[in-house]
Amino acid sequence: MSAHKHFLLHKPYGYLSQFIYELKRKKKLLGELYDFPEGTMAIGRLDEDSEGLLLLTTDGQMSELVRSKKVTKEYYAQVDGIITQEAIEKLKKGVEIGFDGIRYVTNPCNAVKIDDPGFEPRSKKIRDERHGPTSWISITLNEGKFRQVRKMTSAVGFPTLRLVRVRVGNVYLDNLKSGEVKEVGQFSL
């Protein structure tokens, strides 16, 4: 059998983190971005509205390893309003969010206000400047519940407008452009 293939992808806004979508509505899928080899799977997911680093592999064991090691993931979130230090402290300690109809308190995490990271504009405009100021924060987690970062920032009063994953373990998004794919030898997490 041939050696496994591993890829880094800067998932653009509006794409699902999957190759097949069975429901009726037409969705943009990963296979439209690159001619991935058969058997390629995404390790973890980013929701349709999120962007950034997605690891893909043909090695199912690698996928399991990444998920089982509780690998940290770092996100840059553009939030509605100028986030306060008080809100950041709440995020760091853990906040209560809903998950599958159950209340859940997030694990402590690292959160810090950052300058605008200067990402290229998104395909769909975030919103008009007349709606008030926005700010950026970095959140690093070792868990990943469904839409967790969005729920966390909302829980402290600063809804997420744009979410970009910039790191998984020791693998960084770096200068990968939106929609760009890079084949790598191995993931060094």
Side-chain angles (χ1 to χ4, degrees):
M1 182 170 148
S2 63
H4 285 291
K5 304 270 190 185
H6 310 285
F7 305 91
L8 307 180
L9 163 66
H10 184 156
K11 187 188 95 55
Y13 173 85
Y15 280 78
L16 295 181
S17 294
Q18 57 199 62
F19 291 93
I20 299 168
Y21 184 72
E22 301 291 348
L23 301 177
K24 293 220 185 320
R25 278 184 46 221
K26 179 92 174 95
K27 296 284 187 175
K28 294 179 188 171
L29 304 173
L30 298 180
E32 298 171 37
L33 297 169
Y34 187 82
D35 187 16
F36 292 102
E38 192 173 328
T40 301
M41 65 194 89
I43 302 175
R45 295 201 166 182
L46 287 170
D47 65 47
E48 188 174 4
D49 297 336
S50 298
E51 309 161 67
L53 182 61
L54 193 60
L55 309 181
L56 299 105
T57 184
T58 58
D59 183 353
Q61 289 181 316
M62 173 62 71
S63 177
E64 284 303 310
L65 179 72
V66 171
R67 290 202 306 268
S68 69
K69 279 177 68 179
K70 297 285 186 209
V71 173
T72 58
K73 295 161 190 80
E74 184 177 6
Y75 300 84
Y76 288 174
Q78 182 182 20
V79 297
D80 188 8
I82 304 300
I83 195 159
T84 62
Q85 193 57 42
E86 178 187 10
I88 289 172
E89 292 306 320
K90 287 180 185 174
L91 289 171
K92 286 180 178 181
K93 290 182 178 121
V95 294
E96 188 176 291
I97 61 173
F99 179 68
D100 277 346
I102 299 165
R103 301 310 291 166
Y104 173 81
V105 177
T106 60
N107 289 339
C109 69
N110 187 23
V112 63
K113 186 175 178 188
I114 59 171
D115 292 332
D116 183 336
F119 293 119
E120 50 193 302
R122 198 172 74 179
S123 59
K124 181 180 177 210
K125 193 171 181 188
I126 307 290
R127 67 170 200 197
D128 195 295
E129 288 74 31
R130 292 177 304 202
H131 291 100
T134 64
S135 55
W136 285 87
I137 57 171
S138 163
I139 297 181
T140 303
L141 308 168
N142 64 355
E143 58 183 341
K145 305 266 185 246
F146 180 67
R147 296 179 77 85
Q148 180 170 339
V149 172
R150 293 176 186 280
K151 290 177 181 181
M152 288 171 68
T153 65
S154 286
V156 297
F158 294 89
T160 295
L161 302 172
R162 185 176 187 187
L163 186 64
V164 182
R165 183 161 59 201
V166 295
R167 181 175 61 81
V168 175
N170 296 318
V171 181
Y172 288 83
L173 182 62
D174 289 332
N175 296 323
L176 216 54
K177 301 265 183 259
S178 183
E180 193 177 345
V181 175
K182 179 178 169 185
E183 187 169 349
V184 294
Q186 187 69 277
F187 301 126
S188 56
L189 302 163

